[in-house]
Amino acid sequence: MTKMLVGKVTDIDIKGSRTVRIGDNVIALFRLSDGEVLAVENKCPHKGGTLSEGMVCGSKVHCPLHDWRIDLHTGVVQEPDHGHVVTYEVEVDQSNGSIYLTL
Amino acid sequence: MTDIRKKLVLVGNGMAGVRAIEHLLKLSPEAYEITIFGSEPHPNYNRIMLSSVLAGGSSMEEIIINDLEWYHSHGIRLYMGHTITSIDTAERKVYSDKGIVLPYDELILATGSNPFMLPLPGAEKEGVIAFRDIKDCQIMQETSQSYRKAVVIGGGLLGLEAARGLLHLGMEVSVVHIHPYIMERQLDEPASVMLRKELEEQGMKFLLNKQSEAILGKKRVKGLLFADGEIADADLIVMAVGIKPNVELAQKSGVQTNRGIVVNDYMETNIPGVYAVGECAEHRGIAYGLVAPLYEQGAVLAKRLAQVPTDGYSGSVTSTKLKVSGVDVFSAGQFTERPGTRALRYQDEIEGIYKKLVIQDDQLVGAVLFGDTGDGAQLFSMIKNGENIKGKEKELLLGISSDALASPKGNRLEGMADDEIICGCNGVSKSAIAEAIQSGGCTSVGEIKACTKASASCGGCKPLVEGLLQLYAGDNVVTVKEGICGCTTLGRDEIVAEIRRMELKTVKEVMNVLEWNTEEGCAKCRPSLNYYLGMLWPEEYIDEKESRITNERYHANIQKDGTYSVVPRIYGGVTSPAELMKIAEVAAKFEVPLVKFTGGQRLDLLGVKKEDLPKMWEELDMPSGHAYGKTLRTVKTCVGSTFCRFGTQDAMGMGVRLEKAFERLNTPGKVKLAVSGCPRNCAEATIKDFGVVAIDGGWELHIGGNGGVHVRATDLLCVVKTDDEVLEWASAFLQYYREQAGWNERTAQWVERVGLDSIKEVLEVRENRLALQERILTALSVTTDPWKQIVNEPELRKNFEQLSEMKTV
């Protein structure tokens, strides 16, 4: 388990997303309207769409390729589609806005 | 430096007052120095959502409409937890309970209403509360942790919501009601009985025809005694018998009050400089307790204060929509029969559906819906518009048009093989759809879409899906009125009308006021609302990029492997050696894997990494071709009279002129143009959204063509003589399409839907054309080239880069 500092909350727009590359793996960090930051692997289980470029609605993201919906808290794909993506633990230091990702 | 602006004071920090202020800030941001006093220790929150907080659907933070940052950024002074105790209307000053004295030039009273507390003996005991604000919610939550039995007095809308919340908190709940049936103000008896049975199944108990006499207990409540001598045990009593306008402050300050604070059509009270809006105000004898009227009042008051002309407020027809854990109830207008009215009823006890329409002089005057409220919005707008429904009564009652049941599609579909693909985008076969209907219980296209994905992508197969629904669902087919997406039952026209009427200005506000059933919409309604708001308020709406589809957010077309493509604008398809060399150099420098001519006479650079996009745009230094957007794409041209021996007019010149005129225009769907220099039509103008074909001495203008999902040849709109007239008609046509069509509806579908004649009728009047042209110029005047903007603004450009700062801790 490694914990790393990946950036600041202000690096990510509200209802937006930024990515980090860790080795071969790309992780998408999302910032929800209520300020919560969540991280999932940046790959839709359907056809590998880049989730970071999808639309954020509440705590779900719509994959930009075929509109699969993924719950960012659990990584679970919503009905009528099936599957799940890996989620990662994120902490935000409220005092300075630093975002920490645990792998 | 003294502030010379007029001083505006708002008493009451709730939805109605703050809404008026929001509106005023948009109309006249600098006119007033604004101070707001609110008794509750919170910024402005959505009181309607309290029940959803109780039911666990939302958190307290989520229901805040304006956070403290909003007050701060608009320079508004906010006194939270301050109650104004008196007003000196002669000196124009207000006094707060904490010793603040403030002069005002204009004063808005938005004191809302108070829960009506029954004056029962023992009402002061611990554990007796109302259901009105955040504090009441907190008490309910705390009580539920150590006590079991709750009694709600009042079987109206508010009482049932409170009861539902208490059930959710794990308490046993009895609802006491003085009438023989619940919600008698919103429902007739059959609907009320159906609702009660449904709620009883969910665990609510009802004590009907009960008059409360006294509250029992020592320090804390123990029970409730009724007039007939019976007693109900209670650890908590919630009074939800009604609200009364909070007029105390107005009354003692000499402002005329009746049940509420009396106002005229401009929300003015009898005292100059004092206004009232919201639940505390009484307009033409009515004090409203619902959101929509309060918003309408706020809009009128804001215009008054900003000195913008307004027709004033003339009252509202209201409707009630209630959803208590899966039970949908709707009522509107005058839903009880009176002499001179007829009632039509439809009741299906098995499905739990009840519908009643009340008709007077061939007009719909009221409706009650239970179990399926999909038609509510449509019926409500009919009640408001007073349209004549003669001959349509049965259709309205059953929600099925008579010819929909006898469609010829059925036979063809019946003979189709089971494994035939109906939906080509998502590969859904006939048998998969049949199964969804027969064993999956789908009864509408929307349900089939959610269940199988058929018709969920391009929508081209929707008529086939509808046909299959009729084939397999037979008599059970429920023609649900489909909203623009699953988040709402409202259609495009209703949404646009409401945005216009209530002057809603942000996506979030539309969803709040029009009662979306999802928290933040979906990938379908968000871009739609963003488009409608931009179309309606071109000069003040700030485009929400987070509500745009991916391609439009990144200003490039996303490809299957996550790379993007870049199509620079090449006006009219006319380029030059220098421009071609520049494009070639950029393609080589960034090692673009594929360079391709598009169908629309442009160059497409495919396989570009997202992070390279801004760099490429910068090097290209060309405007965006918008090959990714619901906007003007290409203007295809033939060579025209410049070189062609048959050319009668300068097609390239006209194409370039049109493209420069309309580039960057936001439209409901993508828009493609073409200009041909003679009737041979080499630019294929007759399958474009707007096609121009030269004839000797003039131009033919064609509309509504499409070469895509459903090929459609254009209709001839008219023939004009001059180039300027081409621009005038094109502007008018495009603007009319922008204002009338639904988001994602191409001109071809739109022309089919509304009919060519209805479009011609409007555009043939020159005043209409000029007015439309003026509006399109306004819309175009606020657009900028997106590529340049992203290149120059680091805050936008950062979204194309990965986060690079990484340190292990």
Side-chain angles (χ1 to χ4, degrees), chain A residues 6 11 17-29 42 50 52-53, chain B residues 610-611 797-806:
Chain A
V6 291
D11 293 336
S17 170
R18 299 286 302 278
T19 55
V20 285
R21 177 178 287 279
I22 313 250
D24 290 341
N25 196 3
V26 179
I27 296 172
L29 292 119
N42 195 17
T50 36
S52 60
E53 286 151 31
Chain B
K610 187 174 71 173
E611 44 269 40
R797 197 163 172 161
K798 73 170 193 309
N799 291 320
F800 289 80
E801 320 265 331
Q802 291 202 321
L803 287 167
S804 53
E805 183 201 355
M806 284 206 279

Side-chain angles (χ1 to χ4, degrees), chain B residues 315-332:
Chain B
S316 306
V317 180
T318 55
S319 68
T320 307
K321 202 166 151 191
L322 168 72
K323 194 177 177 86
V324 189
S325 95
V327 190
D328 285 309
V329 181
F330 169 93
S331 75

Side-chain angles (χ1 to χ4, degrees), chain B residues 206-430:
Chain B
F206 288 92
L207 299 163
L208 301 174
N209 276 322
K210 289 281 187 199
Q211 174 131 17
S212 307
E213 184 88 348
I215 291 173
L216 311 174
K218 287 191 174 135
K219 187 157 165 273
R220 186 177 180 92
V221 55
K222 277 293 239 198
L224 181 63
L225 170 72
F226 299 116
D228 59 10
E230 282 192 29
I231 291 177
D233 291 342
D235 305 312
L236 176 73
I237 292 184
V238 179
M239 290 203 195
V241 289
I243 52 174
K244 54 174 200 295
N246 184 357
V247 298
E248 195 194 348
L249 174 68
Q251 223 166 10
K252 67 182 192 195
S253 312
V255 179
Q256 189 197 345
T257 60
N258 198 358
R259 188 166 169 260
I261 303 169
V262 179
V263 293
N264 63 12
D265 288 6
Y266 300 100
M267 314 322 291
E268 295 161 334
T269 66
N270 64 319
I271 307 270
V274 180
Y275 309 82
V277 277
E279 289 181 327
C280 66
E282 180 181 323
H283 171 264
R284 301 189 192 176
I286 304 173
Y288 294 95
L290 295 164
V291 181
L294 312 187
Y295 273 25
E296 287 173 49
Q297 293 176 357
V300 169
L301 175 59
K303 284 183 178 157
R304 200 68 175 165
L305 291 168
Q307 293 173 340
V308 174
T310 163
D311 295 341
Y313 173 69
S314 53
S316 306
V317 180
T318 55
S319 68
T320 307
K321 202 166 151 191
L322 168 72
K323 194 177 177 86
V324 189
S325 95
V327 190
D328 285 309
V329 181
F330 169 93
S331 75
Q334 178 49 52
F335 59 83
T336 49
E337 294 97 306
R338 290 178 178 174
T341 63
R342 315 184 275 141
L344 300 177
R345 288 192 187 76
Y346 168 82
Q347 189 159 3
D348 176 347
E349 289 279 1
I350 298 165
E351 291 290 328
I353 291 172
Y354 170 77
K355 198 164 174 180
K356 171 175 152 184
L357 305 178
V358 181
I359 297 165
Q360 187 169 12
D361 305 332
D362 291 327
Q363 288 179 344
L364 189 65
V365 293
V368 178
L369 302 176
F370 181 92
D372 175 3
T373 56
D375 298 344
Q378 181 196 2
L379 295 172
F380 184 43
S381 69
M382 284 183 165
I383 293 170
K384 279 190 300 198
N385 303 339
E387 64 183 86
N388 188 309
I389 58 160
K390 196 173 171 62
K392 284 197 294 189
E393 297 94 334
K394 203 165 167 186
E395 197 177 314
L396 286 177
L397 184 70
L398 301 173
I400 305 169
S401 66
S402 41
D403 48 0
L405 292 169
S407 120
K409 275 196 213 85
N411 309 335
R412 190 170 75 74
L413 289 166
E414 237 166 315
M416 192 186 271
D418 274 356
D419 60 356
E420 186 150 342
I421 297 292
I422 300 284
C423 172
C425 295
N426 296 308
V428 188
S429 66
K430 175 185 167 184

